[in-house]
Amino acid sequence: MKSLIERWRGRLPVTGRTPVVSLGEGGTPLIRADRLARAAGLPPGSVHLKFEGTNPTGSFKDRGMTLAVSKALEAGSRGVLCASTGNTAASAAAYAAKAGLRCVVFLPRGAVARGKLMQAAAHGAEIVDVAGNFDAALRTALRTAERKGLTVVNSSNPFRIEGQKTAAFEVAEAMGRAPDFQFMPVGNAGNITAYWKGYKELGGGRPRIMGFQAAGAAPLVLGHPVKAPRTVATAIRIGDPYSRDGALAARDESGGAIGSVTDSQILAAYRFLAREEGVFCEPASAAGVAGLLKLCRSGRKPRGTVVCVLTGHGLKDPDTAARCIPLRRSRL
Ligand code: F0G
């Protein structure tokens, strides 16, 4: 299969001299989800899941990382650095390993799912434990990068957004046109910014973008930063999103909304997707689906086609799975 950069070369800021660092990212499935549609009270065939868990490191971050690391290599960078709730770190570590670059990751202490931590470690990343949340880790990381001359591969790096916008191209290609609505989780707000950029660049129809934050970490809903964000969905436990303006623009320009869902709504959607649709995503990924169910149950049903973006794989966070999913013992 072609690398994401080869596949979308004409729409990405690369030249013939850019060394392509790829692990086979992108080309993720768009899965019809009729049980979810039924649970939401929507017609069969109207709801699809864009499952990003099939990317090489198990999350959508690989789309942006292939470009960010390729461009870092092209620029002669000595290494890459990021702050992360886990997935960015896992992805940066893998692509840096492939490129032969140094990788340093700043992680909020005790708040990164085990699978992600093990991935970063396995790929040889140097880990800095930050006593504080993701927002503190990001501030420290950005300061350190400047001092040490390392390339930041958080979504403050525009190449990350450029790579991630390709997911919108894939959705529109698979459906023959853009969906009417797109539901997705929002954390640091890079991905919602990237999708909206992608849909706009395609021209033609555009979805209303429906972003969902966890209720305990919902700065974009509240309209101010949250000092101590709290949620079971550690990937989106973020109180002061870097790409806040991009998220608000996606919401306002698309005629969409940014809402919040409780941890119990997130976990219910997480279990439903695994049990009823056969798709095991991580808790944060289920926030968009939780948002869809919440809206539909309150009588505000979207009309037309709906895509829910499932950003990462359920295996990333085995501890939450063990805590929240009952083992069914056989009575055979
Ligand atoms: N879903 C998953 C699985 C994530 O890992 C993230 C972000 C999001 C959704 C939200 O995306 O930040 O672009 O709004 N994870 C980042 C990380 C923060 O460090 O891995 P966003």
Side-chain angles (χ1 to χ4, degrees):
M1 204 180 71
K2 271 190 181 174
S3 70
L4 179 148
I5 290 177
E6 292 303 337
R7 173 77 183 79
W8 301 107
R9 177 172 282 279
R11 294 184 177 273
L12 295 172
V14 290
T15 70
R17 285 191 309 278
T18 311
V20 173
V21 182
S22 172
L23 294 168
E25 58 291 320
T28 58
L30 188 72
I31 304 166
R32 179 170 160 151
D34 281 354
R35 288 223 179 77
L36 174 57
R38 192 187 316 144
L42 298 173
S46 63
V47 180
H48 286 77
L49 307 170
K50 179 67 171 164
F51 185 41
E52 291 287 279
T54 67
N55 275 299
T57 76
S59 87
F60 71 97
K61 304 286 182 180
D62 296 341
R63 294 180 182 277
M65 211 53 77
T66 182
L67 198 64
V69 171
S70 296
K71 295 300 281 189
L73 199 59
E74 182 178 15
S77 169
R78 280 181 286 160
V80 299
L81 174 153
C82 67
S84 180
T85 56
N87 280 325
T88 300
S91 185
Y95 283 82
K98 181 75 174 174
L101 290 175
R102 181 178 181 198
C103 177
V104 185
V105 300
F106 288 67
L107 305 179
R109 184 176 299 161
V112 172
R114 196 137 52 122
K116 305 173 188 181
L117 187 59
M118 291 304 107
Q119 285 181 289
H123 295 304
E126 300 162 54
I127 295 169
V128 181
D129 252 339
V130 179
N133 58 30
F134 169 83
D135 305 291
L138 183 58
R139 283 193 296 272
T140 313
L142 295 177
R143 265 201 315 271
T144 311
E146 214 168 299
R147 233 181 31 233
K148 300 284 183 187
L150 296 171
T151 305
V152 176
V153 293
N154 280 104
S155 50
S156 54
N157 180 326
F159 298 124
R160 279 278 313 281
I161 304 293
E162 289 297 312
Q164 283 174 212
K165 77 184 180 188
T166 61
F169 302 162
E170 288 182 14
V171 169
E173 187 178 69
M175 299 182 72
R177 65 177 188 89
D180 296 305
F181 286 84
Q182 177 168 300
F183 286 71
M184 63 190 300
V186 178
N188 211 28
N191 208 30
I192 189 171
T193 303
Y195 266 99
W196 184 236
K197 185 168 199 288
Y199 284 121
K200 282 199 294 189
E201 285 183 11
L202 279 179
R206 299 168 184 179
R208 292 184 179 213
I209 304 282
M210 312 294 285
F212 284 87
Q213 303 200 287
L220 299 177
V221 180
L222 297 171
H224 58 78
V226 174
K227 277 220 171 61
R230 257 200 295 260
T231 167
V232 67
T234 53
I236 53 170
R237 191 184 284 170
I238 293 175
D240 192 9
Y242 184 89
S243 298
R244 170 182 169 276
D245 294 347
L248 298 182
R251 177 192 70 187
D252 298 339
E253 292 171 23
S254 75
I258 297 180
S260 66
V261 281
T262 64
D263 278 6
S264 77
Q265 289 169 329
I266 288 173
L267 291 173
Y270 164 75
R271 284 186 293 255
F272 180 93
L273 288 166
R275 274 286 289 275
E276 304 291 331
E277 291 292 354
V279 179
F280 188 29
C281 66
E282 64 174 285
S285 303
V289 171
L292 173 66
L293 291 170
K294 177 183 168 180
L295 280 194
C296 290
R297 285 169 184 163
S298 72
R300 285 170 293 166
K301 283 186 197 166
R303 272 174 198 274
T305 52
V306 172
V307 166
C308 298
V309 180
L310 303 183
T311 46
H313 203 288
L315 292 172
K316 291 272 190 178
D317 191 352
D319 297 309
T320 301
R323 249 184 294 115
C324 301
I325 298 175
L327 287 186
R328 300 176 75 197
R329 301 287 182 192
S330 170
R331 285 200 230 102
L332 266 183

